[in-house]
Amino acid sequence: MEGLNKYVEENKQRFLDELFELLRIPSVSADSKHKGDMIKAAEFLKEKLTSAGAEKVEIISTPGHPIVYGEKIVDENLPTVLVYGHYDVQPPDPLELWDTEPFKPVVKKTDIHPEGAVFARGACDDKGQMYMHVKAFEAMQQLGDMPCNIKFMIEGEEEVGSEHLGDFCRKYKEKLDCDVILISDTAMIGKDNPSITTGLRGLSYVEVEVIGPNRDLHSGVYGGAVDNPVNVLCEMIASMKDENNHITIEGFYDKVATVSDEERKMMNKAPFDLNAYTSDLEIADVSGEKGYTTLERTSIRPTLDVNGIWGGYIGEGAKTVLPSKAYAKISMRLVPNQRSEEITKLFTSHFKKIAPPTVKVKVTPHHGGEAVVVTTDSDEYRAAHRAIEEAFGKAPIPQRSGGSIPIVPLFEEVLGVKSILMGFGLDSDALHSPNEHYGLFNYYKGIETIPLFFKYYSATKK
Ligand code: BES
Ligand code: MN
Ligand code: MN
């Protein structure tokens, strides 16, 4: 597609300037003080979708943050691709670990991105990746080459669990009617190793509270005689994995789908450099469930992790205190056939069962979601494969990811439509971490690949 590459080349700077403008809006969905910024980001997208040529562009409010919708129906008889993305971002904390400010995007070169990468919160997840679709749409419009219908649904609550998206999809089922959903919110193996995401893990997320004595106590006067909730919580958490890093919650693995030896063999053929992995993270070695490789541990196996833990005195200096309460936020990544709600129940009863009689415990469930597997045997997968092969000059391989996008199974359930996960980020792009970035190469290459997907996808429907 020569015209396309030329269009991207000629508009490179503007495409970047516009992304910068979007990245300057601190649309942190978790933080109510950014409510106004959420609206600003939605308005920015409304304007850009409209000027790119979308019709019926609107900001639809929900009980939470609004959803931006737009469409271009070129012919009712042609297939319709629904592009999903999110304009909300994770909180930038801890701020002191950023080399530059999270909402002041800058381009810097890195070893992996010698052409430069945009550093900002949301650069990769998902503003940079979502905005590629707006620019790819603009290019198709400008070149008079829109091979099928397109709809955009860009939400603002992905990072907080997409709580209102289910109702939204049910309410606007007809409006959202489409043949396939296209999402760029995942990663590739590498710039020279393109891949298509064929799996996502599910999620069960809980907050726990361990309650000891009715007040904080002097740790000298009472220490040794009264159970300390922080100690108890640590012991309880430690007991949830055995010496093989197997999760000890009864029934936890009962429904886990077994992956055939053949598939495991295939999956382990994917390029993976253990040394690069450990040295990037500055860790001496990896660790995890016995009997599985790192690629398997982060895709086809479930996990249990503490995301945050607190209690007692954490201020400056030392305070001798036996705290009254301890807390933790715990996530479990799930794999096909494990149901989020059921796992939350299993966790809750297990946690209550293992608590010693000296404390009380409370478990509060947060958002959850189900795992996803994407078949490679579909028109849309083949279209994505062809598009990437042509744009990157190398055939992509299928790869299951460890992350979660709970709305993907929801789309299937409510709209009856499957998704294609054509992500262009890299795992090393520091999503959710300080110094998040997105390669310029990936940004522009994505804009060039997306129209090819449209072209090949609509060709399969002729
Ligand atoms: N884009 C990510 C999910 C992702 C990242 C998938 C990398 C594959 C590779 C998404 O924004 C995300 O962060 N999802 C959350 C779950 C959500 C319920 C908060 C996650 O995976 O923690
Ligand atoms: Mn995302
Ligand atoms: Mn995210």
Side-chain angles (χ1 to χ4, degrees):
M1 270 203 167
E2 226 170 75
L4 176 68
N5 294 358
K6 188 161 164 265
Y7 188 81
V8 174
E9 190 56 44
E10 284 169 1
N11 291 282
K12 257 187 160 163
Q13 190 56 47
R14 181 173 54 84
F15 287 179
L16 191 61
D17 292 344
E18 288 175 13
L19 176 60
F20 267 45
E21 212 182 309
L22 178 59
L23 290 169
R24 281 193 201 102
I25 307 170
S27 45
V28 180
S29 50
D31 190 342
S32 57
K33 81 169 189 278
H34 289 294
K35 218 170 171 312
D37 294 312
M38 300 304 291
I39 292 165
K40 265 191 212 157
E43 276 166 355
F44 173 91
L45 290 167
K46 181 181 171 188
E47 189 212 305
K48 296 299 178 202
L49 279 173
T50 307
S51 58
E55 288 158 6
K56 298 192 184 161
V57 184
E58 53 180 323
I59 296 175
I60 306 176
S61 53
T62 73
H65 301 303
I67 292 170
V68 186
Y69 178 85
E71 64 177 41
K72 179 75 194 177
I73 307 297
V74 287
D75 181 345
E76 295 285 353
N77 298 314
L78 287 171
T80 301
V81 177
L82 178 87
V83 172
Y84 163 85
H86 62 94
Y87 66 83
D88 65 321
V89 301
Q90 285 277 329
D93 313 77
L95 285 173
E96 64 279 11
L97 295 184
W98 283 78
D99 295 331
T100 54
E101 286 184 46
F103 299 108
K104 289 195 179 144
V106 288
V107 171
K108 283 189 289 182
K109 293 188 163 84
T110 71
D111 289 345
I112 295 177
H113 298 292
E115 308 84 3
V118 182
F119 281 75
R121 170 56 86 230
C124 178
D125 184 10
D126 180 40
K127 284 174 173 173
Q129 294 208 67
M130 170 267 289
Y131 203 63
M132 295 181 318
H133 287 269
V134 182
K135 295 299 99 179
F137 169 61
E138 175 197 305
M140 289 188 281
Q141 281 288 109
Q142 288 298 318
L143 297 167
D145 193 13
M146 194 66 226
C148 62
N149 305 316
I150 187 168
K151 292 180 178 177
F152 283 93
M153 170 172 47
I154 305 167
E155 73 150 322
E157 294 189 293
E158 198 279 339
E159 300 292 9
V160 287
S162 304
E163 202 188 321
H164 303 102
L165 202 64
D167 282 345
F168 180 86
C169 290
R170 277 180 276 270
K171 185 167 171 196
Y172 295 101
K173 201 166 178 245
E174 261 161 56
K175 197 186 187 68
L176 302 173
D177 181 48
C178 61
D179 297 280
V180 68
I181 296 166
L182 180 62
I183 305 175
S184 296
D185 193 21
T186 53
M188 293 197 143
I189 297 172
K191 292 185 330 195
D192 307 323
N193 285 305
S195 57
I196 298 174
T197 303
T198 49
L200 291 167
R201 285 195 282 195
L203 183 66
S204 158
Y205 200 112
V206 295
E207 189 164 330
V208 298
E209 192 176 338
V210 175
I211 306 143
N214 64 355
R215 57 188 189 275
D216 282 10
L217 303 172
H218 189 291
S219 65
V221 176
Y222 288 96
V226 176
D227 235 345
N228 179 327
V230 178
N231 295 17
V232 170
L233 175 59
C234 291
E235 280 167 32
M236 289 171 75
I237 288 167
S239 79
M240 285 195 272
K241 277 190 198 170
D242 68 14
E243 67 279 12
N244 294 324
N245 277 314
H246 239 80
I247 296 155
T248 56
I249 298 171
E250 299 90 295
F252 187 83
Y253 292 97
D254 282 3
K255 303 224 168 121
V256 167
T258 42
V259 177
S260 69
D261 288 348
E262 200 187 333
E263 200 181 326
R264 287 179 65 183
K265 229 187 199 161
M266 276 285 291
M267 143 184 307
N268 285 301
K269 279 193 188 141
F272 177 73
D273 180 345
L274 187 61
N275 274 327
Y277 191 85
T278 51
S279 68
D280 173 45
L281 302 176
E282 296 178 24
I283 53 173
D285 202 357
V286 291
S287 140
E289 192 183 359
K290 199 176 167 189
Y292 294 93
T293 64
T294 301
L295 283 176
E296 292 170 337
R297 287 169 179 166
T298 55
S299 62
I300 57 164
R301 299 300 294 168
T303 65
L304 183 148
D305 276 294
V306 176
N307 295 246
I309 183 163
W310 69 103
Y313 182 70
I314 52 165
E316 199 184 327
K319 178 189 180 194
T320 48
V321 65
L322 196 161
S324 153
K325 288 178 180 177
Y327 308 81
K329 290 182 195 278
I330 297 173
S331 69
M332 288 157 279
R333 296 282 170 174
L334 312 177
V335 297
N337 298 351
Q338 283 184 301
R339 299 289 301 177
S340 163
E341 227 172 87
E342 190 183 343
I343 295 294
T344 302
K345 275 197 197 131
L346 291 177
F347 176 93
T348 307
S349 40
H350 179 84
F351 199 75
K352 288 186 174 154
K353 200 183 93 190
I354 62 171
T358 47
V359 297
K360 292 194 271 298
V361 297
K362 248 197 235 163
V363 179
T364 313
H366 283 280
H367 52 64
E370 312 305 338
V372 178
V373 212
V374 179
T375 176
T376 55
D377 187 16
S378 70
D379 287 344
E380 52 267 27
Y381 186 88
R382 283 183 283 272
H385 182 104
R386 260 183 98 178
I388 292 175
E389 181 167 30
E390 184 173 325
F392 284 76
K394 189 169 177 183
I397 62 167
Q399 190 173 56
R400 291 214 215 173
S401 167
S404 310
I405 311 182
I407 41 75
V408 173
L410 197 124
F411 287 149
E412 201 171 329
E413 188 192 310
V414 178
L415 306 174
V417 182
K418 305 245 191 227
S419 299
I420 277 292
L421 302 166
M422 197 166 74
F424 295 90
L426 300 181
D427 281 341
S428 56
D429 285 344
L431 328 186
H432 295 200
S433 304
N435 303 315
E436 176 179 351
H437 53 281
Y438 189 41
L440 294 179
F441 169 88
N442 305 64
Y443 183 56
Y444 296 123
K445 195 55 111 184
I447 300 173
E448 287 169 9
T449 309
I450 292 160
L452 294 171
F453 172 83
F454 277 79
K455 177 174 142 189
Y456 294 130
Y457 179 67
S458 34
T460 62
K461 299 290 171 194
K462 275 191 183 130

